[in-house]
């Protein structure tokens, strides 16, 4: 081969290499442009829904340059707030959390604020200070709930207590009762009427507890239990023996239709006050009951024999103390001790027992009295209310269960109208 021919062939090879290199670079640039365009399009499709505000929801949505009447324009800040709410709601839907609107948040905040300062007002006598504290009705109700029921109870139980406490004081105010209170007061701040936590002591409570009590009061504000359009006698107590009591069986009054015995099975399971014991000397027990030892000869012999066997002592008690009748609420209506007769209420109050549902036995040379329940047993059981709340009952269901036939009404519907 000639040198010239070799040179020409070499130049042709280099030209082909340059041509192919240029062609590949061109195709690669085209591929990169296509990929970049696709990525940009995907990004736009993702962001586009978040930038859209539905005109039908917010009254805006006009396109740029469009004319909108002044009374229908929406401030940009308002639109931004609504846009954020939509984005937040979409996000909450995706992660499964509850959706709470701004209105709902405002309502929830209002419920934990201090109850409103409005009439009627209640004048509470504070015995420990000898002073009268004048407070709005709902503030008084909060003080009663704080003193009468453990704050750890379920909200619905606290609400039921608030309704009962409000009903009690409204009935008293409407009847203008002033019995047993110093001049210038409406009610005692003790268990003689309703236990009450004064404002100074309420201020010492933890903020979370105050808010819980506020909510119980605010969510039932103005609700009253009525029977034949009048506030009921809203009696309540701590713990039942498994049943509430007929009012006439404990107070020896005429029957009260809404204070009748109902089953209360929850107390036994959850109340620390369900079972209570007291141990007394036989002679000491007779003295407190006002029964002469001569009325129970067997007791005298039993008291003299300190080493009397448990079986012997228990037999003597069974023969000497007999239940003559029981109430519908399974408490003692009447019993005899030797020749003397007593009511279940007398037995309870004279011996300082927690209930008139009582059993007894001889133990270690003394009479062991076992009481079931805590309180008179009439009306609403507080631990029963807690048990119902734990099972999912609402406050309205709780109070209408314990106060048979009672109906809930608003205070303004029954409070005397000023002329």
């Amino acid at each position: 081969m000639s040198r010239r021919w070799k040179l020409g062939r070499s130049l042709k090879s280099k030209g082909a290499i340059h041509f192919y290199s240029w062609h590949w670079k061109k195709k690669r640039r085209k591929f990169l442009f296509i990929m970049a365009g696709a990525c940009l399009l995907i990004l736009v499709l993702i962001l586009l829904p978040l930038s859209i505000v539905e005109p039908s929801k917010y009254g805006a949505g006009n396109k740029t340059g469009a004319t909108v009447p002044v009374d229908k324009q929406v401030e940009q800040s308002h639109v931004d707030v609504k846009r954020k709410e939509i984005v937040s709601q979409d996000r909450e839907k995706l992660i499964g959390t509850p959706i709470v609107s701004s209105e709902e948040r405002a309502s929830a905040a209002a419920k934990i604020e201090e109850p409103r300062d409005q009439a009627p007002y209640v004048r509470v006598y504070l015995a420990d200070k000898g002073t009268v504290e004048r407070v709005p009705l709902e503030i008084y109700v909060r003080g009663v709930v704080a003193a009468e029921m453990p704050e750890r109870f379920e909200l619905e139980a606290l609400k039921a207590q608030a309704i009962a406490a409000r009903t009690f004081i409204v009935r008293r105010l409407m009847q203008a009762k002033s019995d047993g209170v110093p001049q210038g007061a409406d009610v005692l701040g003790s268990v003689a009427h309703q236990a009450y936590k004064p404002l100074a002591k309420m201020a010492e409570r933890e903020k979370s507890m105050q808010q819980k009590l506020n909510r119980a009061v605010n969510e039932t504000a103005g609700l009253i239990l009525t029977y034949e359009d009048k506030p009921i006698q809203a009696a309540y107590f701590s713990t039942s023996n498994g049943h509430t009591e007929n009012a006439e069986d404990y107070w020896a009054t005429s029957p009260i239709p809404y204070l009748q015995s109902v089953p209360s099975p929850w107390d036994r399971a959850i109340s620390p006050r369900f079972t209570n014991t007291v141990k007394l000397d036989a002679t000491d027990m007779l003295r407190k009951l006002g029964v002469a030892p001569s009325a129970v000869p067997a007791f005298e012999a039993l008291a003299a024999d300190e080493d009397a066997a448990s079986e012997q002592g228990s037999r003597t008690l069974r023969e000497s103390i007999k239940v003559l009748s029981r109430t519908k609420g399974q408490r003692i209506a009447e019993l005899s001790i030797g020749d003397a007769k007593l009511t279940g209420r007398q037995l309870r109050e004279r011996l300082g027992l927690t209930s008139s549902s009582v059993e007894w036995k001889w133990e270690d040379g003394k009479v062991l009295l076992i009481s079931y329940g805590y309180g008179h047993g009439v009306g609403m059981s507080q631990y029963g209310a807690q048990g119902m709340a734990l099972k999912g009952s609402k406050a309205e269901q709780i109070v209408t269960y314990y106060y048979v036939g009672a109906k809930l009404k608003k205070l303004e519907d029954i409070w005397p109208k000023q002329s």
Side-chain angles (χ1 to χ4, degrees):
M1 292 182 196
S2 66
R3 187 173 181 182
R4 186 174 179 180
W5 183 85
K6 288 182 179 179
L7 179 61
R9 187 173 181 180
S10 175
L11 289 174
K12 284 182 181 180
S13 298
K14 289 181 180 180
I17 290 171
H18 283 299
F19 173 78
Y20 286 121
S21 176
W22 172 83
H23 182 70
W24 170 246
K25 287 181 181 179
K26 182 178 179 182
K27 295 198 77 171
R28 187 172 60 180
R29 282 196 299 271
K30 184 177 180 182
F31 174 76
L32 291 175
F33 280 133
I34 292 172
M35 289 299 294
C39 291
L40 182 61
L41 179 60
I42 291 171
L43 184 62
V44 170
L45 290 175
I46 291 173
L47 296 178
L48 184 60
L50 300 181
S51 64
I52 297 175
V53 178
E54 296 181 29
S56 60
K57 281 190 178 181
Y58 309 116
N62 55 303
K63 295 181 180 179
T64 304
T67 303
V68 180
V70 174
D71 61 341
K72 297 203 175 176
Q73 290 181 358
V74 181
E75 295 182 4
Q76 185 60 39
S77 61
H78 176 69
V79 175
D80 290 342
V81 170
K82 293 298 183 181
R83 181 183 290 117
K84 288 178 181 178
E85 286 188 4
I86 286 182
V87 174
S88 177
Q89 289 177 5
D90 289 342
R91 186 179 297 113
E92 287 173 338
K93 285 179 181 178
L94 287 172
I95 63 176
T97 56
I99 298 173
V100 181
S101 67
S102 55
E103 292 81 5
E104 289 173 326
R105 290 191 187 95
S107 176
K111 287 176 182 178
I112 62 175
E113 291 178 354
E114 187 166 286
R116 292 179 295 174
D117 182 355
Q118 64 180 34
Y121 290 86
V122 183
R123 298 171 299 175
V124 191
Y125 180 71
L126 307 177
D128 59 336
K129 294 185 177 180
T131 59
V132 174
E133 186 165 277
R134 183 177 180 270
V135 290
L137 171 65
E138 300 300 342
I139 294 290
Y140 169 75
V141 171
R142 183 187 65 178
V144 173
V145 176
E148 288 280 5
M149 182 174 275
E151 294 163 349
R152 60 181 171 78
F153 273 24
E154 294 294 300
L155 178 64
E156 294 302 319
L158 293 169
K159 287 164 66 175
Q161 180 66 60
I163 294 171
R166 186 181 299 108
T167 301
F168 176 93
I169 190 60
V170 166
R171 174 187 169 92
R172 187 173 176 85
L173 293 175
M174 289 180 66
Q175 293 180 346
K177 284 189 174 183
S178 59
D179 55 298
V181 296
Q183 187 175 2
D186 300 310
V187 66
L188 299 175
S190 68
V191 292
H193 289 155
Q194 293 192 118
Y196 169 77
K197 194 74 67 177
L199 294 175
K201 290 187 177 180
M202 280 299 303
E204 298 172 359
R205 296 290 181 97
E206 292 182 9
K207 185 176 180 181
S208 61
M209 289 296 99
Q210 291 186 34
Q211 291 177 340
K212 187 177 182 181
L213 292 169
N214 289 345
R215 186 177 174 188
V217 174
N218 290 333
E219 290 189 7
T220 62
L223 280 181
I224 303 295
L225 282 158
T226 66
Y227 190 84
E228 295 181 347
D229 297 327
K230 295 179 181 178
I232 69 168
Q233 184 179 350
Y236 52 87
F237 62 100
S238 170
T239 305
S240 80
N241 67 335
H243 296 79
T244 64
E245 187 74 291
N246 287 348
E248 65 270 21
D249 288 338
Y250 189 77
W251 290 323
T253 61
S254 299
I256 301 175
Y258 51 81
L259 292 179
Q260 296 298 298
S261 178
V262 296
S264 187
W266 308 279
D267 308 57
R268 178 187 292 271
I270 66 173
S271 176
R273 291 178 160 187
F274 183 76
T275 304
N276 305 274
T277 59
V278 171
K279 190 176 285 189
L280 296 170
D281 290 322
T283 52
D284 190 32
M285 184 181 77
L286 292 177
R287 180 184 59 79
K288 289 183 176 182
L289 290 173
V291 177
S294 59
V296 195
F299 265 34
E300 288 186 297
L302 195 62
D305 184 6
E306 294 183 356
D307 297 324
S310 177
E311 184 179 343
Q312 178 189 344
S314 296
R315 184 171 60 253
T316 301
L317 288 180
R318 285 196 302 271
E319 293 172 353
S320 303
I321 307 176
K322 295 181 179 179
V323 176
L324 302 178
S325 61
R326 291 189 179 274
T327 65
K328 188 178 179 181
Q330 304 303 307
R331 293 165 177 81
I332 295 173
E334 189 178 31
L335 76 159
S336 64
I337 301 180
D339 298 334
K341 289 185 179 180
L342 298 169
T343 65
R345 179 177 180 178
Q346 289 173 330
L347 176 71
R348 177 201 171 205
E349 293 180 351
R350 292 179 185 181
L351 295 182
L353 306 178
T354 60
S355 169
S356 54
S357 176
V358 189
E359 294 178 351
W360 45 81
K361 65 180 181 178
W362 187 259
E363 184 176 278
D364 300 328
K366 293 185 178 182
V367 180
L368 180 67
L369 296 127
I370 308 161
S371 304
Y372 299 98
Y374 200 105
H376 50 63
V378 181
M380 182 180 74
S381 164
Q382 292 171 317
Y383 271 94
Q386 169 70 348
M388 290 185 70
L390 288 169
K391 294 291 185 180
S393 295
K394 299 298 182 183
E396 294 80 1
Q397 295 171 311
I398 294 170
V399 293
T400 52
Y401 174 77
Y402 281 108
Y403 301 108
V404 183
K407 295 182 179 178
L408 285 166
K409 289 196 173 183
K410 296 293 288 184
L411 177 61
E412 55 263 29
D413 295 334
I414 62 169
W415 190 258
K417 302 293 187 295
Q418 293 184 348
S419 56

